[in-house]
Amino acid sequence: MIEIQYIFELFGTVVFAISGALAADERQKHDWFGITCFAFITAIGGGTLRDLFLNSYPLVWIADMNVIYAVFAGIFLAGIFYRYFSKLRTTLMLFDTLGIALFTIVGLEKAQSLGANDFISVMMGMFTAVMGGVLRDILINKTPTIFVEEIYATACIAGGIIYLVLDSFGVDRNINFIVSGAMIAIIRIITVKFNLSLPKFYK
Amino acid sequence: MIEIQYIFELFGTVVFAISGALAADERQKHDWFGITCFAFITAIGGGTLRDLFLNSYPLVWIADMNVIYAVFAGIFLAGIFYRYFSKLRTTLMLFDTLGIALFTIVGLEKAQSLGANDFISVMMGMFTAVMGGVLRDILINKTPTIFVEEIYATACIAGGIIYLVLDSFGVDRNINFIVSGAMIAIIRIITVKFNLSLPKFYK
Amino acid sequence: MIEIQYIFELFGTVVFAISGALAADERQKHDWFGITCFAFITAIGGGTLRDLFLNSYPLVWIADMNVIYAVFAGIFLAGIFYRYFSKLRTTLMLFDTLGIALFTIVGLEKAQSLGANDFISVMMGMFTAVMGGVLRDILINKTPTIFVEEIYATACIAGGIIYLVLDSFGVDRNINFIVSGAMIAIIRIITVKFNLSLPKFYK
C-alpha cells in the first residue's frame, strides 16, 4: 500500500506539472524555461513550503529524483497534448482535483508524522495542495484564484477534517485515505458544476 | 512582566489580523477563506520569515495555538465591526502602529537571543513588524505600501536602534521595551499626521 | 585562490546591489528605504533561497557582515553614479552578467559541498544567480523578466552543466571555475547582442 501511495504521489506531481505548464501559458507566451519553472513551482511549491515550515529536511524533490522525473513527464505531456488538453478543460479540472485530493491527505499525514497538532495538520494538508498554484499565480502576476473564486481550498480543509474525524473513530488508514480524498474531489466537482461559492465577507 | 509581554504579543497578533482582513477587502470582494488567509499572513508572516532566516523552530504559530486563536479573534472582530472600523481609519492606523511597535521589539529581542549581531537584530525586528503586510500586498497584487509611501519601516528601524543604544547604556529591559516601542509609535504617528516621507532616491 | 573567490563573491554582491537599486527605480520613484530593500533582495535573495532549500545555516548574510557592507557599497555607487549607469545600460548588463556567472558557480559548488546531486546542484547554481532578480520583480509587481525574455537562466544552467562535465574530466577546480563562468558570460552576451531567445512553448 505504501507503494501504491507513492505512485499516487508521483501521479499527483505529474498532474500538477501539466496544470502548471498550461496555466502559465494561458496568460503569456512563455519559452521552455518559463514553462519548466511554472510546472515545477505548481508541482512542488506546496510541499516545499510545508517542509520549510515544519523543518523537514531534505526537501522531497531534493532527496528523490523521481519527483523531478515526474515533473518533466508532466511538462512533456503538456507539450505533446497541448491542443487536446486545452480543449478538454473539464478533463484538466478533474486531474487537478485528483491532485489536490491526494496532496491534501499526503501533506496532512506528513505533518502529523512530524508531530503537528490537528489544526496545523489540516492547514498543512491544504497548503501542500494549494500553495504551488498560489506561488505560480504570484509569479504570473495575477491574484491567486483561490482568493477570488470557488471553494477550492475549503474542499481541502473539509477533506482534512473528515480524515481526522474518521481517524479518531479508528477507521483503517488506507480506507480513510481513499474516503477523505474522494470527499475532497466530490466537494470540488459539485461546487464547480453548480458554480457554488463561499459567502462574501462583507455584503 | 514576561506574561504582560506575551499578552502584548497576542494583542499585536489580533490587531494585525484585523488590519489584514480589512486591507484585503479594500481591493476586492473576498470570501471568508480569502479573508482568513490575509489575516493569517499579515499577523504571522513577518515572524515566520524571521524564524526561517534564523533557523528557529518550531515556528511560533505551530508551537502555540494561542497565536492561532488570536488571529481568529481578529477576523471575528473585523467581521463584526467592519463598518465601524472602516469609518475609523485613524483608529485602525493607531492599532496597526501599536502592532508594529510591539512586533519590532519582540522580533529584535528574539534575534538577539538567537545570537544575531546588532545589525541583523534591528533588521529582524523590522522584518517581524512589516513583512506580514508586504506578503499580503504581494498576494493581493499591489506594490507593497512600504516601498511607495510613508516612513513605515524606517520607524521600526529607528526604534530598534534606540532599543540597542538604551540597552548599551544599561537601561532596564522592561523600561527599554516601553520607551523604544513608544518611539516607533510616535515617529509613525507624527509622519502620518504631517504627511512626511523619506527623500526620493533620485530627483 | 579561496580569497580571490571570496573577493569575487563580494564583487558579485556589489554588482547585484547596483542592479537591484537601478532596476527598482526604472518603474517608480522609490525612497531610500525602498531602494535599500531592492538592492538587498537582488543581491542576497538567490543565495538565501538556496540555503533555505538546502537547510544550510546560518545564512551567508547573517554570518558575514562583509556581505552587508558589499550591498551598501552597491547602493552608494548606484546613488552616486546614477546618471552615468543609466546611460550605460551595456556596462550595467556586463556587470550583471559577471554577477550571474560568479553566483552560478559559487551556488553550484555550495550545493555540491552540502551533498546535493548533479541535477540539484545545477538548479541551485541557477537559483543563486537568478532568484534575487525574480524576487525583486515580484515585489515591484511585474512578471519576472526571466519568464518572458532572453536566455538568462538558461545560460546559468548551461554553465553549470559545463562545470560538471569538466569536473568529471578531472579539470582543475580553479580553471574550471573560470572556464565555466566565462561560458555563462559569453552565452549571455551573445544572446543579448544577437537578440536570441528560446523557442516558445506553443506556436
Side-chain angles (χ1 to χ4, degrees):
Chain A
M1 189 66 183
I2 289 295
E3 280 165 21
I4 289 174
Q5 190 199 336
Y6 182 64
I7 288 165
F8 277 163
E9 271 190 67
L10 291 181
F11 182 63
T13 304
V14 173
V15 169
F16 269 144
I18 293 173
S19 150
L22 298 180
D25 228 75
E26 265 179 46
R27 305 252 304 180
Q28 272 166 302
K29 293 288 166 220
H30 290 286
D31 60 28
W32 278 92
F33 173 77
I35 296 295
T36 304
C37 278
F38 291 123
F40 265 96
I41 288 159
T42 308
I44 68 182
T48 299
L49 215 55
R50 175 201 62 212
D51 291 346
L52 289 179
F53 286 167
L54 295 173
N55 200 21
S56 166
Y57 289 98
L59 301 181
V60 177
W61 51 278
I62 289 180
D64 180 6
M65 281 302 287
N66 288 338
V67 175
I68 305 287
Y69 299 144
V71 175
F72 279 115
I75 296 167
F76 185 75
L77 290 170
I80 301 291
F81 297 112
Y82 171 56
R83 281 167 215 289
Y84 184 71
F85 279 132
S86 59
K87 276 185 196 141
L88 294 174
R89 294 196 72 80
T90 308
T91 310
L92 188 65
M93 192 276 279
L94 291 175
F95 273 76
D96 183 65
T97 301
L98 187 55
I100 60 167
L102 289 165
F103 274 27
T104 299
I105 310 301
V106 166
L108 185 155
E109 289 185 340
K110 179 152 192 188
Q112 277 195 317
S113 74
L114 292 164
N117 66 34
D118 286 353
F119 178 86
I120 298 295
S121 297
V122 170
M123 210 163 160
M124 289 297 148
M126 184 266 287
F127 258 55
T128 309
V130 310
M131 286 307 290
V134 170
L135 292 173
R136 180 199 61 215
D137 289 342
I138 292 173
L139 278 172
I140 58 177
N141 205 13
K142 74 179 205 197
T143 301
T145 319
I146 63 158
F147 294 130
V148 285
E149 277 179 35
E150 297 174 58
I151 305 183
Y152 191 76
T154 312
C156 301
I157 293 172
I161 293 170
I162 290 164
Y163 179 93
L164 290 180
V165 169
L166 293 181
D167 191 51
S168 73
F169 285 125
V171 171
D172 176 72
R173 182 254 168 206
N174 293 340
I175 292 169
N176 198 352
F177 192 106
I178 291 163
V179 170
S180 47
M183 284 306 297
I184 296 171
I186 289 167
I187 295 171
R188 163 93 171 128
I189 290 166
I190 288 175
T191 53
V192 169
K193 192 167 171 62
F194 295 101
N195 202 22
L196 302 175
S197 61
L198 288 180
K200 294 294 171 201
F201 191 58
Y202 314 120
K203 271 109 273 179
Chain B
M1 188 65 183
I2 288 296
E3 279 164 24
I4 290 175
Q5 189 198 334
Y6 182 64
I7 288 165
F8 278 163
E9 271 190 66
L10 291 182
F11 182 62
T13 305
V14 173
V15 169
F16 268 144
I18 293 173
S19 150
L22 298 179
D25 228 75
E26 266 179 46
R27 305 251 305 179
Q28 271 167 302
K29 293 290 167 220
H30 290 286
D31 59 28
W32 278 92
F33 173 76
I35 296 294
T36 305
C37 278
F38 290 123
F40 266 96
I41 288 159
T42 309
I44 68 182
T48 299
L49 215 55
R50 175 200 62 213
D51 290 346
L52 289 179
F53 286 166
L54 295 173
N55 199 21
S56 166
Y57 289 96
L59 301 181
V60 177
W61 50 277
I62 290 180
D64 180 7
M65 282 301 286
N66 288 338
V67 175
I68 305 287
Y69 300 145
V71 175
F72 280 115
I75 296 167
F76 185 74
L77 290 170
I80 300 291
F81 296 112
Y82 171 58
R83 282 166 215 289
Y84 184 69
F85 279 132
S86 60
K87 276 184 196 142
L88 294 173
R89 294 196 72 81
T90 308
T91 310
L92 188 64
M93 192 277 281
L94 291 175
F95 274 76
D96 183 66
T97 301
L98 186 56
I100 61 167
L102 289 166
F103 274 26
T104 299
I105 310 301
V106 166
L108 186 154
E109 288 185 341
K110 178 152 192 188
Q112 277 195 317
S113 74
L114 292 163
N117 64 36
D118 285 353
F119 178 86
I120 298 295
S121 297
V122 171
M123 211 161 157
M124 289 298 148
M126 183 267 287
F127 258 55
T128 307
V130 309
M131 285 307 290
V134 170
L135 292 172
R136 179 198 60 214
D137 289 342
I138 292 173
L139 278 172
I140 57 177
N141 205 14
K142 74 178 204 196
T143 301
T145 320
I146 63 157
F147 294 130
V148 285
E149 277 179 34
E150 296 175 57
I151 305 183
Y152 191 77
T154 313
C156 300
I157 293 172
I161 294 170
I162 291 164
Y163 179 93
L164 290 180
V165 169
L166 293 181
D167 190 53
S168 74
F169 285 125
V171 171
D172 176 75
R173 182 256 168 202
N174 292 340
I175 292 170
N176 197 352
F177 193 106
I178 291 163
V179 170
S180 45
M183 284 306 298
I184 296 171
I186 291 167
I187 295 171
R188 164 94 171 127
I189 290 166
I190 288 176
T191 54
V192 169
K193 192 167 171 61
F194 295 100
N195 201 22
L196 302 175
S197 61
L198 288 179
K200 294 294 173 201
F201 190 58
Y202 315 119
K203 269 109 274 176
Chain C
M1 188 67 183
I2 289 294
E3 279 165 23
I4 290 174
Q5 189 198 334
Y6 182 63
I7 288 165
F8 277 163
E9 271 190 66
L10 291 182
F11 182 64
T13 304
V14 173
V15 170
F16 269 143
I18 293 173
S19 150
L22 297 179
D25 228 74
E26 266 178 45
R27 303 251 306 180
Q28 271 167 301
K29 294 287 167 221
H30 290 286
D31 61 28
W32 278 92
F33 173 77
I35 296 295
T36 304
C37 278
F38 290 124
F40 265 96
I41 288 160
T42 309
I44 68 181
T48 298
L49 215 55
R50 175 200 63 212
D51 291 346
L52 289 179
F53 286 166
L54 295 173
N55 200 21
S56 166
Y57 287 97
L59 301 181
V60 177
W61 50 277
I62 289 181
D64 180 7
M65 281 301 286
N66 288 337
V67 175
I68 305 286
Y69 299 144
V71 175
F72 279 116
I75 296 166
F76 185 74
L77 290 169
I80 300 292
F81 296 112
Y82 170 57
R83 282 167 215 288
Y84 184 71
F85 280 133
S86 60
K87 276 185 195 142
L88 294 173
R89 294 196 73 80
T90 308
T91 309
L92 188 64
M93 192 277 279
L94 292 175
F95 274 76
D96 183 65
T97 301
L98 186 55
I100 60 166
L102 290 165
F103 273 26
T104 299
I105 310 301
V106 167
L108 185 154
E109 288 185 340
K110 179 151 191 188
Q112 277 195 317
S113 75
L114 291 164
N117 65 34
D118 286 352
F119 178 86
I120 299 294
S121 297
V122 170
M123 211 163 158
M124 288 298 148
M126 183 267 286
F127 257 55
T128 308
V130 309
M131 286 306 290
V134 170
L135 292 173
R136 180 199 61 215
D137 290 342
I138 292 173
L139 278 173
I140 58 177
N141 204 13
K142 73 179 206 198
T143 301
T145 320
I146 64 158
F147 294 131
V148 286
E149 278 178 36
E150 296 174 56
I151 305 183
Y152 190 77
T154 313
C156 301
I157 293 172
I161 293 171
I162 290 165
Y163 179 93
L164 290 180
V165 170
L166 293 182
D167 191 53
S168 74
F169 285 126
V171 172
D172 176 74
R173 182 255 167 204
N174 292 340
I175 292 170
N176 198 351
F177 192 106
I178 292 163
V179 170
S180 47
M183 284 307 297
I184 295 171
I186 290 167
I187 294 170
R188 164 94 171 127
I189 290 166
I190 288 176
T191 54
V192 169
K193 191 168 173 60
F194 295 101
N195 202 21
L196 303 174
S197 62
L198 288 179
K200 294 295 170 201
F201 190 58
Y202 315 119
K203 271 110 272 179

